[in-house]
Amino acid sequence: MAMTEAGHSEPLRRVELEPGLYLVATPIGTARDITLRALDTLASADMLVAEDTRVLRKLMEIHRIRREGRPMLAYHDHNGAAQRPKLLAALSAGKSIAYASDAGTPLVADPGFQLARGALDAGYAVHAVPGASAPLAALSVAGLPTDRFLFAGFAPTAGGARARWVREVGNVDATLVVFEAGRRVSALLGAFQEAGQGARPAAICRELTKKFEEVTRGSVEDLVQQSSVQPPKGEVVIVLGPPPALEVGEDDVCRALQAALRDKPLKVAAAEVAEATGWRKRDVYQLGVKLRE
């Protein structure tokens, strides 16, 4: 059903869609968090494709969208290679295809990436039908800076790989958004704590947009303790504020300056070390003078 300007509901109407692949964002929780354009697309596409057809069928039933004999195919990590040729053939025949992930925006931690890339490589149109997104929903409620953020997907589960991953993404000067299973939250945040980021502000977001939405905020250290005692249920979104600025001490500056002075004059070495450490150039230069005395 769709709403008119007067507020009355009316049956969904099929619209003419141009041939191409339509990436349809679906609700991450509350079923009403879907756009009118998404409903039109699901009601009108020649072919329906979903990561899980059961989820899409339920969504269409809720919004009274009739399938009307249109083909509905499953497309996921395990059958993508076999399904892509069929879908590309449908695009070649001038069909419109609506692809929906289980929840949220397709291609964000989702198997639809290879399908979209295959369609683009073959010269077919790919359209975004935007809507709900778990990373953006989490950023909205976490209470952490949003002017610059990195979506890092799922962290590796193996300890060594996870530690390397934390070192790689943990020092990016931006708010970090991560997907994780609730039972592994303590281990992941513990890896950030071991990397010296225990004081970093963070939030654990679960059941977003649902009746029992829950956001737990605190430092990484605090959340490690809480999640180890009571692990969150299901999958969660973890948001970590930008990493704290590294405080470079005088001993570190001295070592960097001594290394630079081996093959550079003091003025050049001081400028390079000041830029690398955040110290004032004048202070680094004075330190270099003392080192030469």
Side-chain angles (χ1 to χ4, degrees):
M1 304 291 282
M3 299 300 293
T4 65
E5 291 184 1
H8 302 295
S9 61
E10 62 178 15
L12 284 167
R13 297 176 180 174
R14 294 196 64 179
V15 297
E16 290 294 328
L17 293 178
E18 296 180 0
L21 176 64
Y22 292 78
L23 305 173
V24 182
T26 56
I28 61 175
T30 303
R32 290 179 66 84
D33 285 346
I34 190 167
T35 69
L36 296 177
R37 183 177 172 221
L39 294 176
D40 288 344
T41 303
L42 292 175
S44 307
D46 297 319
M47 182 180 293
L48 300 165
V49 181
E51 186 176 357
D52 187 330
T53 56
R54 295 168 298 180
V55 174
L56 182 57
R57 284 195 187 97
K58 183 177 179 180
L59 181 66
M60 291 173 64
E61 288 173 2
I62 290 172
H63 293 287
R64 302 183 186 180
I65 300 173
R66 296 177 180 176
R67 182 175 167 187
E68 297 180 334
R70 293 175 293 162
M72 180 181 288
L73 282 70
Y75 181 94
H76 44 72
D77 286 328
H78 302 293
N79 73 350
Q83 291 288 58
R84 277 194 299 276
K86 302 175 187 177
L87 298 175
L88 292 177
L91 292 174
S92 177
K95 302 295 184 181
S96 57
I97 300 175
Y99 169 77
S101 59
D102 277 358
T105 300
L107 275 67
V108 178
D110 173 81
F113 169 69
Q114 294 291 349
L115 175 59
R117 186 166 69 175
L120 289 170
D121 288 347
Y124 303 120
V126 175
H127 307 274
V129 184
S133 168
L136 294 180
L139 282 167
S140 298
V141 299
L144 296 169
T146 59
D147 56 325
R148 187 171 188 231
F149 63 88
L150 169 67
F151 173 66
F154 285 94
T157 56
R162 183 172 54 219
R164 289 190 295 272
W165 181 87
V166 166
R167 287 195 297 270
E168 177 185 350
V169 303
N171 292 321
V172 176
D173 186 19
T175 293
L176 193 63
V177 182
V178 184
F179 288 168
E180 187 55 282
R183 66 183 184 278
R184 292 197 293 263
V185 166
S186 180
L188 176 59
L189 292 177
F192 279 96
Q193 185 176 8
E194 291 173 5
Q197 298 190 15
R200 188 171 182 171
I204 300 172
C205 309
R206 61 181 299 272
E207 296 291 290
L208 288 169
T209 78
K210 298 179 183 178
K211 182 178 181 180
F212 298 106
E213 177 176 298
E214 180 180 71
V215 181
T216 306
R217 304 175 182 87
S219 68
V220 166
E221 183 177 3
D222 291 339
L223 295 178
V224 167
Q225 296 176 356
Q226 293 181 36
S227 58
S228 61
V229 174
Q230 188 173 4
K233 294 181 180 179
E235 289 189 351
V236 304
V237 183
I238 301 173
V239 184
L240 299 100
L246 296 176
E247 295 184 4
V248 182
E250 184 173 313
D251 290 343
D252 296 319
V253 175
C254 284
R255 283 193 289 271
L257 192 53
Q258 287 172 332
L261 285 171
R262 291 172 187 159
D263 56 3
K264 296 181 179 70
L266 176 56
K267 187 174 182 179
V268 175
E272 289 185 357
V273 172
E275 183 177 358
T277 61
W279 274 44
R280 292 187 301 176
K281 189 190 303 184
R282 181 180 64 184
D283 293 339
V284 178
Y285 186 87
Q286 292 299 326
L287 195 58
V289 172
K290 292 180 181 179
L291 288 173
R292 285 187 165 182
E293 290 179 351

